[in-house]
Amino acid sequence: MQSSESSGESADDPLSRGLRRRGQPRVVVIGAGLAGLAATKALLEQGFTDVTVLEASSRIGGRVQSVKLGHATFELGATWIHGSHGNPIYHLAEANGLLEETTDGERSVGRISFYSKNGVACYLTDRGRRIPKDVVEEFSDLYNEVYTLTQEFFRHGKPVNAESRNSVGVFTREEVRNRIRDDPDDSEATKRLKLAMMQQYLKVESCESSSHSIDEVSLSAFGEWTEIPGAHHIIPSGFMRVVELLAEGIPAHVIQLGKPVRCIHWDQASPHPRGPEIQPREEGDHNHDTGEGSQSGESSQGCGWDEDEQWPVVVECEDCEVIPADHVIVTVSLGVLKRQYTSFFRPGLPMEKVAAIHRLGIGTTDKIFLEFEEPFWGPECNSLQFVWEDEAERLTLTYPPEQWYRKICGFDVLYPPERYGHVLSGWICGEEALVMERCDDEAVAEICTEMLRQFTGNPNIPKPRRILRSAWGSNPYFRGSYSYTQVGSSGADVEKLAKPLPYMESSKTAHRSSTKQQPGHLLSSKCPEQSLDLNRGSVKPMQVLFSGEATHRGYYSTTHGALLSGRREAARLAEMYRDLFRQGP
């Protein structure tokens, strides 16, 4: 079943007998984002036929969400294909003609902050004046030099000094400040202006890292994120087209929408769920938030099974349906894991995986789209960047709730106008983004209009005709935008997060080593009676697998990282069952 070596030794264990009767391993994939769809598609292509996808929300795509308004498509989630050389997202989009209408201005090289490389960024202060172009260029060159230094600690193994507190933000702020203050050619006024610009750049950095503050991002691990060479691309027809391509060939019955999961009962020792371990949730017992599409309270045992069979995993859904499985691939976000790991897994997770969940970071980066009747910005302007002059000496970029708008780093001009109309896209991150999410559209539009008037010095800017914005932080099925390596974490934590359960020497030696305690398995959990039974005849390997952008060491935070992580977990299972599929029915 797994290999000629291991299947012979496990021929009589009940797990193998059950699999022989069914003929196929049953795999449940939790989440229909890029990772879940990529895993499902790969499993089906490898010959798996008993695959079910459980998606909590009413749509597929996860953190890809394209919204069509009129003739234009706006991205509330993933926007860019980051790099082209070897990027599976790029090759999928290119092979299917999704980039044919992408303009040269939407193919940018280097770090991504703007929708178009055409035109210039207009840096404006809260006093309504534009910062001179030469000052902007001088500061940009200085900042980019320091940014390059932040990459070297990981890439070249440079030691991190205590003064930086292993923080990208602390290091960058101190290094940039020292260089500005030591410049003999600048006046004091220019120095203060550049110091204020630094704060704006750090806000942009926080948005790109999806952290509350760039101070929270690990300096020693910052350079581990791997950039794929080549240009970055926007998909004019919407990033959802990539999602739809991944979903092609997956039978409709495989994906169940509006199906939130309450708990994964893994390492099961009995033929079916026991007594009080799985029962309908009492009113008010919120193991985790349920949103639109939840069917909690409707009892259903629609997925029955032979009581003589042993299933290592049972997935308990919010609607009280229980689905037995041989393997479960978990693709939920790191934000969901942080909020729900104690109730989402029984028995509890191994301590090293819990520690990795705590150490790694995930924050919220939101977009605010404003559509205007006519542009009030010049044709050469590709963005309006907000620089608060009174923040030059500020040590932190955290604001009281009533000043959440100060975290908006600026607005990009969507390009080309022939496709989008006259639309600005604002960026905000961190706790202030969560405050923004709690405001209504009218309030956000009003505040953004006042900011635009203040920074441009034009009191006649009208309110936008329409507003569209994301809300990733408060969405119970995401709890954030994407992950980053937080101070105190490293790429090793990403690998610990990705490690399948139960912990075993390898899937090939699982049956032979099943009578030994597996290192790292948490035996003392809230459900000790469900922990590893060392006297049981067999331990099924890879019962719970983990996928999603946060589980890819080199490509975390990206769409290609999510896709590749899904394929990775599918490949684990394909390798495990290669002899089964080689033999055929």
Side-chain angles (χ1 to χ4, degrees), residues 134-202:
D134 61 325
V135 175
V136 172
E137 291 177 346
E138 287 173 9
F139 176 78
S140 180
D141 289 343
L142 184 158
Y143 183 88
N144 288 334
E145 288 177 7
V146 175
Y147 179 84
T148 300
L149 294 179
T150 64
Q151 310 289 297
E152 295 181 356
F153 291 93
F154 174 80
R155 294 177 182 173
H156 303 301
K158 290 179 59 176
V160 176
N161 60 43
E163 290 77 15
S164 71
R165 302 201 297 273
N166 197 19
S167 160
V168 172
V170 173
F171 172 84
T172 302
R173 190 179 290 109
E174 190 64 23
E175 187 73 20
V176 171
R177 276 182 174 156
N178 289 339
R179 294 188 181 205
I180 290 174
R181 288 167 175 162
D182 293 343
D183 190 334
D185 298 327
D186 281 345
S187 66
E188 288 303 313
T190 299
K191 289 180 179 181
R192 284 191 61 81
L193 201 53
K194 288 182 177 179
L195 288 171
M197 285 186 66
M198 175 190 68
Q199 306 286 34
Q200 193 275 341
Y201 270 56
L202 292 177

Coordinates of all heavy atoms in Angstrom, one line a residue, residues 134-202:
D134 N 13.9 66.3 -5.8 CA 15.3 66.0 -5.5 C 15.4 65.5 -4.1 O 16.2 64.6 -3.8 CB 16.2 67.2 -5.7 CG 15.9 68.4 -4.9 OD1 14.7 68.6 -4.6 OD2 16.8 69.1 -4.4
V135 N 14.6 66.0 -3.2 CA 14.6 65.5 -1.8 C 14.1 64.1 -1.7 O 14.6 63.3 -1.0 CB 13.8 66.5 -0.9 CG1 13.7 65.9 0.5 CG2 14.4 67.9 -0.9
V136 N 13.0 63.8 -2.5 CA 12.4 62.5 -2.5 C 13.5 61.5 -3.0 O 13.6 60.4 -2.5 CB 11.2 62.5 -3.4 CG1 10.7 61.0 -3.6 CG2 10.1 63.3 -2.8
E137 N 14.2 61.8 -4.1 CA 15.1 60.9 -4.7 C 16.3 60.7 -3.8 O 16.8 59.5 -3.7 CB 15.6 61.5 -6.1 CG 14.5 61.4 -7.1 CD 15.0 62.1 -8.4 OE1 16.0 62.7 -8.4 OE2 14.2 61.9 -9.4
E138 N 16.8 61.7 -3.1 CA 17.9 61.6 -2.2 C 17.5 60.6 -1.0 O 18.3 59.7 -0.7 CB 18.3 62.9 -1.6 CG 19.0 63.8 -2.6 CD 19.2 65.2 -2.0 OE1 19.0 65.4 -0.8 OE2 19.7 66.1 -2.8
F139 N 16.3 60.9 -0.5 CA 15.9 60.0 0.6 C 15.7 58.6 0.1 O 16.0 57.6 0.8 CB 14.6 60.5 1.3 CG 14.2 59.6 2.4 CD1 14.8 59.6 3.6 CD2 13.1 58.7 2.1 CE1 14.4 58.7 4.6 CE2 12.7 57.8 3.1 CZ 13.4 57.8 4.4
S140 N 15.1 58.4 -1.0 CA 14.8 57.1 -1.5 C 16.1 56.3 -1.7 O 16.1 55.1 -1.3 CB 14.0 57.2 -2.9 OG 13.8 55.9 -3.4
D141 N 17.1 56.9 -2.2 CA 18.4 56.2 -2.4 C 19.0 55.8 -1.0 O 19.5 54.7 -0.8 CB 19.4 57.1 -3.1 CG 19.0 57.3 -4.6 OD1 18.2 56.5 -5.1 OD2 19.5 58.3 -5.2
L142 N 18.9 56.7 -0.1 CA 19.4 56.4 1.3 C 18.6 55.3 1.9 O 19.2 54.3 2.4 CB 19.2 57.7 2.2 CG 19.8 57.7 3.6 CD1 20.0 59.1 4.1 CD2 18.8 57.0 4.6
Y143 N 17.3 55.3 1.8 CA 16.5 54.3 2.4 C 16.8 52.9 1.8 O 16.9 51.9 2.5 CB 15.0 54.6 2.3 CG 14.1 53.6 3.0 CD1 13.8 53.7 4.3 CD2 13.6 52.5 2.3 CE1 13.0 52.8 5.0 CE2 12.8 51.5 2.9 CZ 12.5 51.7 4.3 OH 11.7 50.7 4.9
N144 N 16.9 52.9 0.5 CA 17.1 51.6 -0.2 C 18.5 51.0 0.1 O 18.6 49.8 0.2 CB 17.0 51.8 -1.7 CG 15.6 52.0 -2.2 OD1 14.6 51.6 -1.5 ND2 15.4 52.7 -3.3
E145 N 19.4 51.9 0.4 CA 20.7 51.4 0.9 C 20.6 50.6 2.2 O 21.1 49.6 2.5 CB 21.7 52.5 1.0 CG 22.2 53.1 -0.3 CD 23.1 54.3 -0.1 OE1 23.5 54.6 1.1 OE2 23.5 54.9 -1.1
V146 N 19.8 51.2 3.1 CA 19.6 50.6 4.4 C 18.7 49.4 4.3 O 19.0 48.4 5.0 CB 18.9 51.7 5.4 CG1 18.6 51.0 6.7 CG2 19.9 52.8 5.6
Y147 N 17.8 49.4 3.4 CA 16.9 48.2 3.2 C 17.8 47.1 2.8 O 17.6 45.9 3.2 CB 15.9 48.5 2.2 CG 15.0 47.3 1.9 CD1 13.9 47.0 2.7 CD2 15.3 46.4 0.8 CE1 13.1 45.9 2.4 CE2 14.5 45.3 0.5 CZ 13.4 45.1 1.4 OH 12.6 43.9 1.1
T148 N 18.8 47.3 1.9 CA 19.7 46.2 1.5 C 20.4 45.7 2.7 O 20.7 44.5 2.7 CB 20.7 46.8 0.4 OG1 19.9 47.3 -0.7 CG2 21.6 45.7 0.0
L149 N 20.8 46.5 3.6 CA 21.5 46.0 4.8 C 20.7 45.1 5.6 O 21.2 44.2 6.2 CB 21.9 47.2 5.7 CG 23.0 48.2 5.1 CD1 23.3 49.3 6.1 CD2 24.3 47.4 4.7
T150 N 19.3 45.3 5.7 CA 18.5 44.5 6.5 C 18.4 43.0 5.9 O 18.1 42.1 6.7 CB 17.0 45.0 6.5 OG1 16.5 45.0 5.2 CG2 17.0 46.4 7.0
Q151 N 18.7 42.9 4.6 CA 18.7 41.5 4.0 C 20.0 40.7 4.4 O 20.0 39.5 4.3 CB 18.7 41.6 2.5 CG 17.5 42.6 2.0 CD 16.2 42.0 2.2 OE1 15.9 40.9 1.7 NE2 15.4 42.6 3.0
E152 N 21.0 41.5 4.8 CA 22.3 40.8 4.9 C 22.5 40.0 6.2 O 23.3 39.1 6.2 CB 23.5 41.8 4.8 CG 23.6 42.5 3.4 CD 24.7 43.5 3.4 OE1 25.3 43.8 4.4 OE2 24.9 44.1 2.3
F153 N 21.7 40.3 7.2 CA 21.8 39.6 8.5 C 21.5 38.1 8.3 O 22.3 37.2 8.8 CB 20.9 40.2 9.5 CG 21.4 41.5 9.9 CD1 20.9 42.7 9.3 CD2 22.3 41.7 10.9 CE1 21.3 43.9 9.7 CE2 22.8 42.9 11.3 CZ 22.2 44.1 10.7
F154 N 20.5 37.8 7.5 CA 20.2 36.4 7.2 C 21.1 35.8 6.1 O 21.7 34.7 6.3 CB 18.8 36.2 6.9 CG 18.4 34.8 6.4 CD1 18.2 33.8 7.4 CD2 18.4 34.4 5.1 CE1 17.9 32.5 7.0 CE2 18.2 33.1 4.7 CZ 17.9 32.1 5.7
R155 N 21.2 36.5 5.1 CA 21.9 36.0 3.9 C 23.4 35.8 4.1 O 24.0 34.9 3.5 CB 21.6 36.9 2.7 CG 20.2 36.9 2.3 CD 19.9 37.9 1.1 NE 18.5 37.9 0.8 CZ 17.9 38.7 -0.1 NH1 18.6 39.6 -0.7 NH2 16.6 38.7 -0.3
H156 N 24.0 36.6 4.9 CA 25.4 36.5 5.1 C 25.8 36.1 6.6 O 26.9 36.2 7.0 CB 26.1 37.8 4.8 CG 25.9 38.2 3.3 ND1 26.2 37.5 2.3 CD2 25.3 39.3 2.8 CE1 25.9 38.1 1.1 NE2 25.3 39.2 1.5
G157 N 24.7 35.8 7.4 CA 25.0 35.3 8.7 C 25.6 36.4 9.6 O 26.3 36.1 10.6
K158 N 25.3 37.7 9.3 CA 25.8 38.7 10.2 C 25.1 38.7 11.6 O 23.9 38.5 11.7 CB 25.6 40.1 9.5 CG 26.4 40.3 8.3 CD 26.1 41.7 7.7 CE 26.3 42.8 8.6 NZ 26.1 44.2 8.0
P159 N 25.9 38.9 12.6 CA 25.3 39.0 13.9 C 24.4 40.2 14.1 O 24.7 41.3 13.6 CB 26.5 39.0 14.9 CG 27.6 39.6 14.1 CD 27.4 39.1 12.7
V160 N 23.3 40.1 14.9 CA 22.4 41.2 15.1 C 22.8 41.8 16.5 O 22.9 41.1 17.5 CB 21.0 40.7 15.2 CG1 20.1 41.8 15.6 CG2 20.6 40.1 13.8
N161 N 23.1 43.1 16.5 CA 23.5 43.8 17.7 C 22.3 44.0 18.6 O 21.1 44.0 18.2 CB 24.2 45.1 17.5 CG 23.4 46.1 16.7 OD1 22.2 46.3 17.0 ND2 24.0 46.8 15.8
A162 N 22.6 44.1 19.9 CA 21.5 44.2 20.9 C 20.7 45.5 20.7 O 19.5 45.5 21.0 CB 22.1 44.2 22.3
E163 N 21.3 46.6 20.2 CA 20.6 47.8 20.1 C 19.4 47.7 19.1 O 18.4 48.4 19.2 CB 21.5 48.9 19.6 CG 22.5 49.4 20.6 CD 23.7 48.4 20.8 OE1 23.8 47.5 19.9 OE2 24.4 48.5 21.7
S164 N 19.5 46.8 18.1 CA 18.4 46.7 17.1 C 17.2 45.9 17.7 O 16.2 45.8 17.0 CB 19.0 46.0 15.9 OG 19.2 44.7 16.1
R165 N 17.4 45.2 18.8 CA 16.4 44.3 19.3 C 15.9 43.3 18.3 O 14.7 42.9 18.3 CB 15.3 45.1 19.9 CG 15.7 46.1 21.0 CD 14.6 46.5 21.9 NE 13.5 47.2 21.2 CZ 13.5 48.5 21.0 NH1 14.5 49.3 21.5 NH2 12.5 49.1 20.4
N166 N 16.8 42.9 17.3 CA 16.4 42.0 16.3 C 15.2 42.4 15.5 O 14.4 41.6 15.0 CB 16.2 40.6 16.8 CG 16.3 39.5 15.7 OD1 16.9 39.8 14.6 ND2 15.8 38.4 16.0
S167 N 15.0 43.7 15.4 CA 13.8 44.3 14.7 C 14.2 45.0 13.4 O 15.1 45.9 13.5 CB 13.1 45.2 15.7 OG 12.2 46.1 15.0
V168 N 13.5 44.7 12.3 CA 13.7 45.5 11.1 C 13.5 47.0 11.3 O 14.2 47.8 10.9 CB 12.9 44.9 10.0 CG1 13.0 45.8 8.7 CG2 13.3 43.5 9.6
G169 N 12.4 47.3 12.0 CA 12.0 48.7 12.2 C 13.0 49.4 13.0 O 13.4 50.6 12.7
V170 N 13.4 48.8 14.2 CA 14.3 49.5 15.1 C 15.6 49.7 14.4 O 16.2 50.8 14.4 CB 14.5 48.7 16.4 CG1 15.6 49.3 17.2 CG2 13.2 48.6 17.1
F171 N 16.1 48.7 13.7 CA 17.4 48.8 13.0 C 17.3 49.9 11.9 O 18.2 50.8 11.8 CB 17.8 47.5 12.4 CG 19.0 47.6 11.5 CD1 20.3 47.5 12.0 CD2 18.8 47.7 10.1 CE1 21.4 47.6 11.1 CE2 19.9 47.8 9.2 CZ 21.2 47.8 9.7
T172 N 16.3 49.8 11.1 CA 16.1 50.8 9.9 C 16.0 52.2 10.4 O 16.6 53.1 9.9 CB 14.9 50.4 9.1 OG1 15.1 49.0 8.6 CG2 14.7 51.3 7.9
R173 N 15.1 52.4 11.4 CA 14.9 53.8 12.0 C 16.2 54.4 12.5 O 16.5 55.5 12.2 CB 13.8 53.7 13.0 CG 13.3 55.1 13.5 CD 12.3 55.0 14.5 NE 11.0 54.4 14.0 CZ 10.6 53.2 14.3 NH1 11.2 52.4 15.1 NH2 9.4 52.8 13.7
E174 N 16.9 53.6 13.2 CA 18.2 54.1 13.8 C 19.2 54.4 12.7 O 19.9 55.4 12.8 CB 18.7 53.2 14.9 CG 19.9 53.7 15.7 CD 19.5 54.9 16.5 OE1 18.3 55.1 16.8 OE2 20.4 55.7 16.9
E175 N 19.4 53.5 11.8 CA 20.4 53.6 10.7 C 20.1 54.8 9.9 O 21.0 55.6 9.5 CB 20.4 52.3 9.9 CG 21.6 52.3 8.9 CD 22.9 52.1 9.5 OE1 23.0 51.6 10.7 OE2 23.9 52.4 8.9
V176 N 18.8 55.0 9.5 CA 18.4 56.1 8.6 C 18.6 57.4 9.3 O 19.1 58.4 8.8 CB 16.9 55.9 8.1 CG1 16.5 57.1 7.4 CG2 16.9 54.7 7.2
R177 N 18.1 57.4 10.6 CA 18.3 58.7 11.4 C 19.7 59.1 11.5 O 20.0 60.3 11.3 CB 17.6 58.5 12.7 CG 16.1 58.7 12.8 CD 15.6 58.5 14.2 NE 14.2 58.9 14.2 CZ 13.3 58.5 15.1 NH1 13.7 57.6 16.0 NH2 12.1 58.9 15.1
N178 N 20.6 58.2 11.7 CA 22.0 58.5 11.9 C 22.6 59.1 10.6 O 23.3 60.1 10.6 CB 22.8 57.3 12.3 CG 22.5 56.9 13.8 OD1 22.0 57.8 14.6 ND2 22.8 55.7 14.1
R179 N 22.2 58.5 9.5 CA 22.7 59.0 8.2 C 22.1 60.3 7.9 O 22.9 61.2 7.3 CB 22.4 58.0 7.1 CG 23.0 56.6 7.3 CD 22.8 55.7 6.1 NE 23.5 54.4 6.2 CZ 23.9 53.6 5.2 NH1 23.7 54.0 4.0 NH2 24.5 52.5 5.5
I180 N 20.9 60.6 8.2 CA 20.3 61.9 7.9 C 20.9 63.0 8.8 O 21.3 64.0 8.3 CB 18.8 61.9 8.1 CG1 18.1 61.0 7.0 CG2 18.2 63.3 8.1 CD1 16.6 60.8 7.3
R181 N 21.1 62.7 10.0 CA 21.7 63.7 10.9 C 23.1 64.0 10.7 O 23.6 65.1 10.9 CB 21.5 63.2 12.4 CG 20.0 63.2 12.9 CD 19.8 62.5 14.2 NE 18.5 62.6 14.7 CZ 17.9 61.8 15.6 NH1 18.6 60.8 16.1 NH2 16.7 62.0 15.9
D182 N 23.8 63.0 10.1 CA 25.3 63.1 9.8 C 25.5 63.8 8.5 O 26.7 64.1 8.1 CB 26.0 61.8 9.9 CG 26.0 61.2 11.3 OD1 25.8 62.0 12.2 OD2 26.3 60.0 11.4
D183 N 24.5 64.1 7.7 CA 24.7 64.7 6.4 C 25.0 66.1 6.5 O 24.1 66.9 7.0 CB 23.4 64.5 5.5 CG 23.6 64.8 4.1 OD1 24.5 65.7 3.8 OD2 22.9 64.3 3.2
P184 N 26.2 66.6 6.2 CA 26.5 68.0 6.4 C 25.9 68.9 5.3 O 25.9 70.2 5.5 CB 28.1 68.0 6.2 CG 28.3 66.8 5.3 CD 27.3 65.8 5.6
D185 N 25.4 68.4 4.3 CA 24.9 69.2 3.2 C 23.4 69.6 3.4 O 22.9 70.6 2.7 CB 25.0 68.5 1.8 CG 26.4 68.2 1.5 OD1 27.3 69.0 1.9 OD2 26.7 67.2 0.9
D186 N 22.7 69.0 4.2 CA 21.2 69.3 4.4 C 21.0 70.3 5.5 O 21.7 70.3 6.5 CB 20.5 68.0 4.7 CG 20.2 67.1 3.5 OD1 20.3 67.7 2.3 OD2 19.8 66.0 3.6
S187 N 20.0 71.1 5.3 CA 19.6 72.1 6.3 C 18.8 71.3 7.4 O 18.4 70.2 7.1 CB 18.7 73.2 5.7 OG 17.5 72.6 5.2
E188 N 18.6 71.9 8.5 CA 17.8 71.3 9.6 C 16.4 71.0 9.1 O 15.8 70.0 9.4 CB 17.8 72.1 10.8 CG 19.1 72.1 11.6 CD 19.6 70.7 12.0 OE1 18.7 70.0 12.5 OE2 20.8 70.4 11.7
A189 N 15.8 71.9 8.3 CA 14.5 71.8 7.8 C 14.4 70.5 6.9 O 13.4 69.8 6.9 CB 14.0 73.0 7.1
T190 N 15.4 70.4 6.0 CA 15.4 69.2 5.1 C 15.6 67.9 5.8 O 15.0 66.9 5.5 CB 16.5 69.4 4.0 OG1 16.3 70.6 3.3 CG2 16.6 68.2 3.1
K191 N 16.4 68.0 6.9 CA 16.6 66.8 7.7 C 15.3 66.4 8.4 O 15.0 65.2 8.4 CB 17.7 67.0 8.7 CG 19.1 67.1 8.2 CD 20.1 67.4 9.3 CE 21.6 67.4 8.7 NZ 22.6 67.6 9.7
R192 N 14.6 67.3 8.9 CA 13.3 67.0 9.5 C 12.3 66.4 8.5 O 11.5 65.5 8.8 CB 12.7 68.2 10.2 CG 13.4 68.5 11.5 CD 12.6 69.6 12.3 NE 11.2 69.1 12.7 CZ 11.0 68.3 13.7 NH1 12.0 67.9 14.5 NH2 9.7 67.9 13.9
L193 N 12.3 67.0 7.3 CA 11.5 66.5 6.3 C 11.8 65.0 5.9 O 10.9 64.2 5.7 CB 11.6 67.4 5.0 CG 10.4 67.4 4.0 CD1 9.1 67.6 4.7 CD2 10.6 68.4 2.9
K194 N 13.1 64.7 5.8 CA 13.5 63.4 5.5 C 13.2 62.4 6.6 O 12.8 61.2 6.4 CB 15.0 63.3 5.2 CG 15.3 64.0 3.8 CD 16.8 63.9 3.5 CE 17.1 64.4 2.1 NZ 18.6 64.4 1.8
L195 N 13.3 62.9 7.9 CA 12.9 62.0 9.0 C 11.4 61.7 9.0 O 11.0 60.6 9.3 CB 13.3 62.7 10.3 CG 14.8 62.8 10.6 CD1 15.0 63.7 11.8 CD2 15.3 61.4 10.9
A196 N 10.6 62.7 8.6 CA 9.2 62.4 8.4 C 8.9 61.5 7.3 O 8.0 60.6 7.4 CB 8.4 63.8 8.2
M197 N 9.6 61.6 6.2 CA 9.5 60.7 5.1 C 9.8 59.3 5.5 O 9.2 58.3 5.1 CB 10.4 61.1 3.9 CG 9.9 62.3 3.1 SD 11.0 62.6 1.7 CE 10.6 61.1 0.7
M198 N 10.8 59.1 6.4 CA 11.2 57.8 6.9 C 10.0 57.1 7.5 O 9.8 55.9 7.3 CB 12.3 57.9 7.9 CG 12.7 56.6 8.5 SD 13.9 56.8 9.9 CE 12.8 57.7 11.1
Q199 N 9.2 57.9 8.3 CA 8.1 57.3 9.0 C 7.0 56.8 7.9 O 6.4 55.7 8.1 CB 7.4 58.3 9.9 CG 8.4 58.9 10.9 CD 8.8 57.9 12.0 OE1 8.9 56.7 11.8 NE2 9.0 58.4 13.2
Q200 N 6.9 57.5 6.9 CA 5.9 57.1 5.8 C 6.4 55.8 5.1 O 5.7 54.9 4.9 CB 5.8 58.3 4.8 CG 4.6 58.1 3.8 CD 4.9 57.2 2.6 OE1 6.1 57.0 2.3 NE2 3.9 56.7 2.0
Y201 N 7.7 55.8 4.9 CA 8.3 54.6 4.3 C 8.1 53.4 5.2 O 7.8 52.2 4.7 CB 9.8 54.8 4.0 CG 10.1 55.3 2.6 CD1 9.5 56.5 2.2 CD2 11.0 54.7 1.8 CE1 9.8 57.1 1.0 CE2 11.3 55.2 0.5 CZ 10.7 56.4 0.1 OH 11.0 56.9 -1.1
L202 N 8.2 53.6 6.5 CA 8.1 52.4 7.4 C 6.6 52.0 7.5 O 6.3 50.8 7.7 CB 8.6 52.8 8.8 CG 10.1 53.1 9.0 CD1 10.4 53.5 10.4 CD2 10.8 51.8 8.6

